[in-house]
Amino acid sequence: MKHLTQSFSIKFEYPIYFTSAIFKKENTLLNDYLQQASPTGITRKIMFVVDEGVANATPNLMADIKAYFAVHNTVNLIPDIIIVTGGEVVKSSEKYFNKVLDAVNKHGIDRHSYIAAVGGGAVLDMVGYAAAVAHRGIKHIRIPTTVLSQNDSGIGVKNGINYFSKKNFLGTFVPPVAVFNDEKFLETLSIRDWRSGISEAVKVGLLKDAAFFNWISDNVVALVERDMATMNYLIWRCAQLHMQHIAGNDPFESGSSRPLDFGHWSAHKLEYLTNFEVRHGEAVALGIALDTVYSNLSGRLSNEDTELIVKTLLGLGFAISHPLLQVDGGESPIVSGLGEFREHLGGQLTIMLLKGIGEGEEVHEIDIELLKQAGEKLNEIQVR
Ligand SMILES: NC(=O)c1ccc[n+]([C@@H]2O[C@H](COP(=O)([O-])OP(=O)(O)OC[C@H]3O[C@@H](n4cnc5c(N)ncnc54)[C@H](O)[C@@H]3O)[C@@H](O)[C@H]2O)c1
Ligand SMILES: [Zn+2]
């Protein structure tokens, strides 16, 4: 048979910077990055898309961005800064995606220019997707402003929007060109959004690094009291473990196993069932609690480890039990969620459980009776 074979690989590399007050004129980090990333001879533009929640919480933000680029003019700022609603709604209506595309068209943003997104994970996902598809890919800079986006969603390679009422139905695997984690943004987070992203750090600790989980457990009070140095370390270490994971394990998810999805199968279902009233990170904490107690009841995880994990989640202020996560007959949403998760993976159910703190185990079957008991047990602990 006559045939040709095409084969090439492309290396992806992007820095994640940790800074404070990125748009303060004296802070040259962003401009330094743009300078070294932008060869001379071509005029480049940068267009900003900002999360409305961030804009409201930081009233000087627009003025600061404009003042910054007035002094640091390596690239030309498009003075028309786009503001979009924050939260899941920005991914759920095409309106905001179209608004970004309109601006790309109107301002002549080409493949040599940048789109910078400032916001929570939802805004970053939407803007990243718009940037990835416009002109087959415009350079995309992320400036995440929530704990979850700084330690998880904003540093990875995925983006997307919801479509046909389905989460992330449209999306691409396209890494940003750079990420700037600015601790200052975390100061204005609501308590829910401050706490929410901590569950992803608990998750990676439980799967990959017992010492990191134990550190979180020892620092519950400092985290609850919003100590910034403690949060900085949590974000830094979580981001590092995440990045190592992405680089080493199928970054574009061509296989069916999702080793970092501990606690996520029920979390996705719960977010959806509550119309995203329960935040991603909050749902992940509930999912971790459920899969931890299930791991215990199925004989994998010791009582001591189980108690420490549950105590840590409670100490951080997370709910560990939700009525929609209780098994109550075959029609329970959580049981159908399991079936949907199996379909989503393409046939074989693969769920990550725990054998110990820092050690996961993939299983392909879930015992509904034990799942029911796990829900009941968590409910008892929660109301105690
Ligand atoms: N791409 C990925 O790999 C990935 C991974 C996990 C989650 N996600 C997505 O991330 C999204 C959730 O992100 P999130 O938890 O960051 O929440 P979010 O983006 O929904 O933001 C929550 C709220 O906080 C506000 N906000 C953001 N920053 C603020 C600040 N500094 N001060 C005050 N308010 C602020 C927003 O306006 C919004 O109202 C979901 O859509 C989820 O699907 C993506
Ligand atoms: Zn997650």
Side-chain angles (χ1 to χ4, degrees):
M1 174 70 110
K2 212 172 163 183
H3 81 286
L4 299 166
T5 300
Q6 173 70 290
S7 170
F8 56 81
S9 50
I10 296 171
K11 183 173 177 179
F12 289 98
E13 189 171 293
Y14 54 99
I16 297 173
Y17 297 106
F18 296 81
T19 188
S20 184
I22 187 172
F23 298 118
K24 208 171 160 185
K25 284 179 214 163
E26 299 75 46
N27 186 342
T28 60
L29 179 68
L30 176 59
N31 191 58
D32 292 345
Y33 165 78
L34 291 169
Q35 224 157 29
Q36 59 84 22
S38 318
T40 46
I42 308 170
T43 310
R44 288 161 195 262
K45 302 173 190 169
I46 188 163
M47 184 175 91
F48 274 83
V49 184
V50 175
D51 184 318
E52 193 174 17
V54 183
N56 290 342
T58 319
N60 291 334
L61 182 59
M62 307 302 150
D64 287 350
I65 295 175
K66 288 180 188 173
Y68 188 88
F69 283 92
V71 178
H72 303 293
N73 50 10
T74 301
V75 297
N76 295 342
L77 174 73
I78 301 292
D80 180 10
I81 295 175
I82 300 161
I83 298 187
V84 291
T85 310
E88 200 64 28
V89 69
V90 80
K91 288 173 67 175
S92 302
S93 155
E94 286 158 73
K95 193 168 102 185
Y96 306 101
F97 169 70
N98 287 334
K99 193 172 171 179
V100 177
L101 293 186
D102 275 347
V104 167
N105 186 31
K106 181 172 153 200
H107 298 298
I109 303 298
D110 59 24
R111 289 173 48 79
H112 299 292
S113 302
Y114 298 91
I115 299 183
V118 183
V123 168
L124 300 184
D125 272 7
M126 182 280 285
V127 178
Y129 177 59
V133 297
H135 298 302
R136 297 199 178 105
I138 295 169
K139 295 180 207 313
H140 171 217
I141 292 174
R142 296 197 193 128
I143 304 177
T145 60
T146 61
V147 172
L148 185 111
S149 56
Q150 292 197 359
N151 73 7
D152 184 302
S153 83
I155 58 161
V157 297
K158 296 190 270 186
N159 52 58
I161 60 172
N162 307 331
Y163 208 71
F164 300 131
S165 301
K166 291 188 173 141
K167 182 107 173 150
N168 301 325
F169 187 88
L170 295 177
T172 56
F173 289 98
V174 177
V177 291
V179 181
F180 295 84
N181 277 346
D182 180 348
E183 63 173 16
K184 279 275 166 214
F185 286 116
L186 306 178
E187 289 175 1
T188 59
L189 287 173
S190 69
I191 181 62
R192 286 184 71 187
D193 288 306
W194 169 273
R195 182 191 296 126
S196 177
I198 299 175
S199 62
E200 299 284 2
V202 170
K203 177 199 75 178
V204 278
L206 288 175
L207 289 179
K208 296 196 166 274
D209 184 351
F212 182 45
F213 172 79
N214 289 330
W215 176 87
I216 297 173
S217 197
D218 290 343
N219 282 280
V220 160
V221 174
L223 289 167
V224 170
E225 288 176 353
R226 298 184 73 142
D227 178 66
M228 199 55 90
T230 310
M231 184 55 99
N232 276 337
Y233 177 74
L234 178 131
I235 290 174
W236 184 82
R237 182 67 183 141
C238 183
Q240 190 181 42
L241 287 165
H242 232 104
M243 287 166 73
Q244 285 166 1
H245 176 83
I246 293 171
N249 289 273
D250 192 15
F252 292 173
E253 293 178 7
S254 41
S256 69
S257 151
R258 300 267 200 90
L260 264 198
D261 270 4
F262 176 59
H264 274 60
W265 70 270
S266 57
H268 288 309
K269 181 74 184 172
L270 185 65
E271 280 180 89
Y272 175 76
L273 286 171
T274 60
N275 202 17
F276 302 98
E277 171 40 37
V278 175
R279 299 265 203 279
H280 180 73
E282 293 167 338
V284 168
L286 285 154
I288 290 173
L290 187 67
D291 290 355
T292 294
V293 173
Y294 183 92
S295 300
N296 174 249
L297 294 176
S298 59
R300 293 178 171 85
L301 188 66
S302 72
N303 290 343
E304 196 191 357
D305 285 352
T306 306
E307 278 158 25
L308 181 62
I309 297 168
V310 171
K311 186 175 144 215
T312 303
L313 292 171
L314 284 171
L316 289 165
F318 286 112
I320 53 163
S321 162
H322 193 283
L324 290 167
L325 291 183
Q326 300 291 329
V327 176
D328 182 18
E331 299 299 303
S332 308
I334 182 177
V335 177
S336 46
L338 205 54
E340 287 158 22
F341 190 64
R342 177 186 287 116
E343 281 168 37
H344 177 73
L345 293 177
Q348 193 189 27
L349 183 68
T350 303
I351 286 190
M352 183 61 84
L353 294 176
L354 290 182
K355 281 206 297 198
I357 290 177
E359 206 183 346
E361 180 188 0
E362 283 189 338
V363 303
H364 301 292
E365 238 167 277
I366 289 290
D367 179 330
I368 301 296
E369 179 51 35
L370 286 186
L371 191 62
K372 181 170 190 279
Q373 288 174 24
E376 286 166 358
K377 189 161 179 187
L378 284 165
N379 200 27
E380 278 166 30
I381 301 171
Q382 177 84 70
V383 296
R384 230 183 258 161

